[in-house]
Amino acid sequence: MLILLPPSEGKSAARKGSPVRLEDLHFPELNDARRAVLAALKNASSADDAHKILGVGESLAADVARNLVLDVAPAAPAHDVYSGVLYDALGYAGMTPVQKRRAREQCVVVSGLWGAIAFGDPIPAYRLSMSVDLPGTGRLASFWKKHLASPLAEHAGQGLVVDCRSSTYAAAWAPPAQQSVAVTVVQLRNGTRAVVSHFAKHTRGELARHLLTRRGAAPGTPEALLRAAREKWTAELEPAGARKAAQLTIVLD
């Protein structure tokens, strides 16, 4: 089983440690592309209109400035750097050693800067969304789509891919439809289903945690994933189509 996660907008910067070494990251075939994005990000972050290019407010000036020193900033495991609603709900720090190992093996984060990294890969905190049209590389989802297909397909093998990414990050790689399940979350409001971003992120994090910490074999099919989800939630499964992945919908009361 492979669990695809988005990065968080907010990140916890490491206070000490060695800088990132691309050679230490999973998917080394992405390193040339990573270097290109790193260089383009540094140029964009030093521009007068950096905030506009990166799509952030001026209150995040410190985050933008941090992009200028990514080659010397301390790096920490991705599971410690990424923070926010989904990662709080996933709760890596509170897992047992066996569960943590499983998370490092089975979770991959799709990133606008790194392309894709494993959960334990050491990275610095940065500010860059997959939605950015970065001078020098173009729109990042399109840029990474050219590079991610082969390494991620090889990494996934024939196993089930549980896609907990938002649509912005899902655009960078579409797993094979017959072996992947996209996770959506809706909330009932006066009998009507509504998508709520905060609860969707939280529940996707909870689902990832449940899959990593529950007893028994990891789900190997969409139907097995549905059964696992129903251990905690009301859930429905829309089967895969010829080119469209199956969809697991978790319904919150």
Side-chain angles (χ1 to χ4, degrees), residues 53-134:
I53 295 172
L54 299 180
V56 300
E58 294 188 6
S59 62
L60 296 176
D63 287 9
V64 174
R66 198 158 52 200
N67 287 341
L68 300 174
V69 293
L70 293 179
D71 54 341
V72 296
H79 54 68
D80 290 339
V81 172
Y82 293 125
S83 56
V85 175
L86 186 151
Y87 288 90
D88 286 347
L90 191 149
Y92 176 88
M95 291 181 177
T96 68
V98 171
Q99 293 165 353
K100 287 181 176 179
R101 175 177 56 79
R102 193 177 297 151
R104 293 192 300 270
E105 292 174 350
Q106 296 182 348
C107 291
V108 165
V109 181
V110 174
S111 160
L113 178 54
W114 313 110
I117 53 173
F119 214 38
D121 283 353
I123 58 170
Y126 63 94
R127 174 63 65 164
L128 182 64
S129 170
M130 187 68 83
S131 62
V132 169
D133 189 348
L134 193 63

Side-chain angles (χ1 to χ4, degrees), residues 172-212:
W173 180 56
Q178 298 305 313
Q179 69 180 85
S180 60
V181 182
V183 179
T184 62
V185 182
V186 297
Q187 187 176 32
L188 288 176
R189 291 183 170 179
N190 298 320
T192 301
R193 295 184 176 189
V195 176
V196 184
S197 177
H198 175 87
F199 289 112
K201 292 177 183 178
H202 180 84
T203 305
R204 286 181 179 129
E206 286 188 322
L207 175 65
R209 180 181 179 84
H210 179 57
L211 296 176
L212 294 166

Side-chain angles (χ1 to χ4, degrees), residues 9-96:
E9 290 298 322
K11 300 173 183 69
S12 300
R15 295 184 179 181
K16 58 181 180 180
S18 301
V20 64
R21 284 170 33 94
L22 297 186
E23 297 78 9
D24 293 338
L25 305 181
H26 282 69
F27 313 113
E29 56 268 66
L30 299 177
N31 282 347
D32 286 345
R34 288 164 173 160
R35 291 187 184 96
V37 178
L38 279 163
L41 177 60
K42 189 171 184 177
N43 288 337
S45 299
S46 63
D48 292 339
D49 59 346
H51 297 88
K52 182 178 179 180
I53 295 172
L54 299 180
V56 300
E58 294 188 6
S59 62
L60 296 176
D63 287 9
V64 174
R66 198 158 52 200
N67 287 341
L68 300 174
V69 293
L70 293 179
D71 54 341
V72 296
H79 54 68
D80 290 339
V81 172
Y82 293 125
S83 56
V85 175
L86 186 151
Y87 288 90
D88 286 347
L90 191 149
Y92 176 88
M95 291 181 177
T96 68

Side-chain angles (χ1 to χ4, degrees), residues 1-3 160-164 179-184 207-208 210-211 214 217-233 235-237 246-250:
M1 179 183 66
L2 172 63
I3 301 175
L160 181 69
V161 179
V162 182
D163 195 346
C164 294
Q179 69 180 85
S180 60
V181 182
V183 179
T184 62
L207 175 65
H210 179 57
L211 296 176
R214 63 189 289 272
T221 65
E223 293 75 18
L225 177 63
L226 175 64
R227 291 193 294 271
R230 283 178 170 173
E231 293 168 359
K232 290 196 65 174
W233 298 278
E236 303 167 354
L237 181 68
Q247 180 172 294
L248 177 74
T249 300
I250 295 176

